[in-house]
Amino acid sequence: MFLEPIDFAQMYIEHKKNTIFKGKNQKDWDAKSKEMAPSMQKSSYVDEFISKMEINSEDVILDIGCGPGTLAIPLAKKVKQVIAIDFSKQMLEELEKYAKDEGITNITTYHIGWEDDWSFLPHIDIAVASRSMEVSDMQKALFKMSYIAKKACYLTYKVGGSYVDMDIVNYIQKPIVKKPDYWYIPLILYTKGYLASIAYIATKGSIKSYTKESFVSSLRWSFGSLSEAEEEKAKEYFDRFIEKEQKHPKPFKWAFISWKV
């Protein structure tokens, strides 16, 4: 294979180290859990994700980085069991609350993340990672998914290398290094003998719900920090463009990547 001499796994690691979009820690996601939970339920994204999966009523699914149950809850209605893991305890509590409200009893939660030991988990047929692949070592994570799943793996990853619209980035004159784009994933899988399939899911942005203050706060969350000048430019952008974008929000595009194991 002509790609064999290229070490995409190491390229990803170096790229990830340099990006401005740094991973959030457990406390960050704990604080975000109550805000995220309502918007994550019953979305077109979930319907499209599940429609692309091959599942049956006897499957046991591992939901990695499950958040407040975005996929775990609807999947639990279709399969034998869902094992839901997340390194945010508050996210798991939100999931458990939604599951209880809907009378779902076949979800088991574990407060663990990508770097923890998964060997104690029960038999897993399918592993999914929905928008939860912000890992420092992509190859290690992909192999961990592939090893634990007996049938197939499914994940989504943001297309474009930026969580913030580049029109906003350019307007506020924020110097950034984009995060590694999704194409690393099928290439890493390919060089190790896995043939990935790629599709795409478009979701509407949540910009329609922003106030000026929450818009700036969201940018600060994504970038890690904003200078005083960047905050002023962000407020200016909000005043000039957000009303129009709230009426016609730009879609986010996610790469849906799947492979057999």
Side-chain angles (χ1 to χ4, degrees):
M1 295 185 293
F2 71 94
L3 292 176
E4 284 182 331
I6 305 174
D7 191 344
F8 292 106
Q10 188 59 37
M11 286 175 64
Y12 172 91
I13 290 172
E14 295 303 318
H15 192 158
K16 187 68 173 175
K17 285 178 182 177
N18 293 327
T19 181
I20 190 174
F21 298 104
K22 304 302 181 184
K24 306 301 181 182
N25 61 35
Q26 179 181 330
K27 289 183 179 179
D28 292 329
W29 288 115
D30 281 349
K32 199 82 168 174
S33 60
K34 289 191 182 297
E35 174 189 335
M36 284 181 60
S39 65
M40 293 292 103
Q41 306 301 318
K42 299 178 181 178
S43 70
S44 59
Y45 166 87
V46 171
D47 294 338
E48 194 164 351
F49 189 111
I50 294 176
S51 73
K52 297 180 186 300
M53 299 175 65
E54 294 182 18
I55 56 176
N56 65 58
S57 60
E58 292 302 308
D59 283 331
V60 177
I61 294 181
L62 174 65
D63 186 358
I64 307 161
C66 60
T70 309
L71 277 179
I73 289 174
L75 281 172
K77 299 174 182 179
K78 297 176 180 292
V79 301
K80 182 179 180 180
Q81 186 182 16
V82 174
I83 308 299
I85 67 173
D86 203 295
F87 77 157
S88 167
K89 194 172 187 344
Q90 292 298 321
M91 287 291 188
L92 294 176
E93 290 179 2
E94 292 293 330
L95 183 159
E96 289 164 358
K97 182 179 72 174
Y98 277 104
K100 183 178 180 180
D101 289 345
E102 298 205 23
I104 294 171
T105 59
N106 61 335
I107 299 177
T108 304
T109 61
Y110 293 96
H111 183 209
I112 56 175
W114 282 106
E115 299 301 322
D116 294 308
D117 178 19
W118 295 357
S119 64
F120 67 92
L121 294 176
H123 169 96
I124 302 294
D125 296 300
I126 294 168
V128 301
S130 170
R131 303 184 284 200
S132 60
M133 295 295 298
E134 293 303 317
V135 294
S136 59
D137 187 332
M138 182 60 73
Q139 179 170 272
K140 181 180 177 182
L142 294 173
F143 284 6
K144 198 164 187 176
M145 288 182 72
S146 300
Y147 180 78
I148 201 165
K150 302 300 185 291
K151 292 170 58 176
C153 298
Y154 302 92
L155 64 83
T156 46
Y157 195 85
K158 178 73 173 63
V159 172
S162 175
Y163 285 119
V164 181
D165 189 297
M166 288 305 296
D167 287 345
I168 299 172
V169 173
N170 293 333
Y171 190 89
I172 70 174
Q173 299 175 6
K174 178 74 174 178
I176 71 167
V177 175
K178 290 184 178 182
K179 71 186 185 73
D181 211 344
Y182 75 95
W183 58 263
Y184 279 101
I185 297 171
L187 287 170
I188 291 171
L189 288 168
Y190 176 72
T191 58
K192 299 303 178 182
Y194 295 104
L195 298 179
S197 296
I198 306 172
Y200 299 92
I201 300 175
T203 59
K204 291 183 179 179
S206 59
I207 203 165
K208 62 179 182 295
S209 63
Y210 282 137
T211 63
K212 186 184 295 188
E213 290 73 22
S214 64
F215 175 68
V216 175
S217 177
S218 176
L219 293 181
R220 196 182 299 116
W221 162 272
S222 295
F223 292 130
S225 65
L226 290 172
S227 68
E228 186 175 335
E230 289 163 351
E231 289 204 8
E232 290 304 312
K233 292 292 287 185
K235 293 175 183 176
E236 185 180 306
Y237 184 94
F238 185 94
D239 291 335
R240 293 188 62 184
F241 302 110
I242 292 299
E243 183 177 356
K244 179 181 178 181
E245 292 184 16
Q246 286 174 333
K247 293 178 181 177
H248 305 285
K250 298 178 182 178
F252 272 31
K253 187 171 283 187
W254 301 89
F256 178 92
I257 302 172
S258 60
W259 65 102
K260 303 288 187 181
V261 293

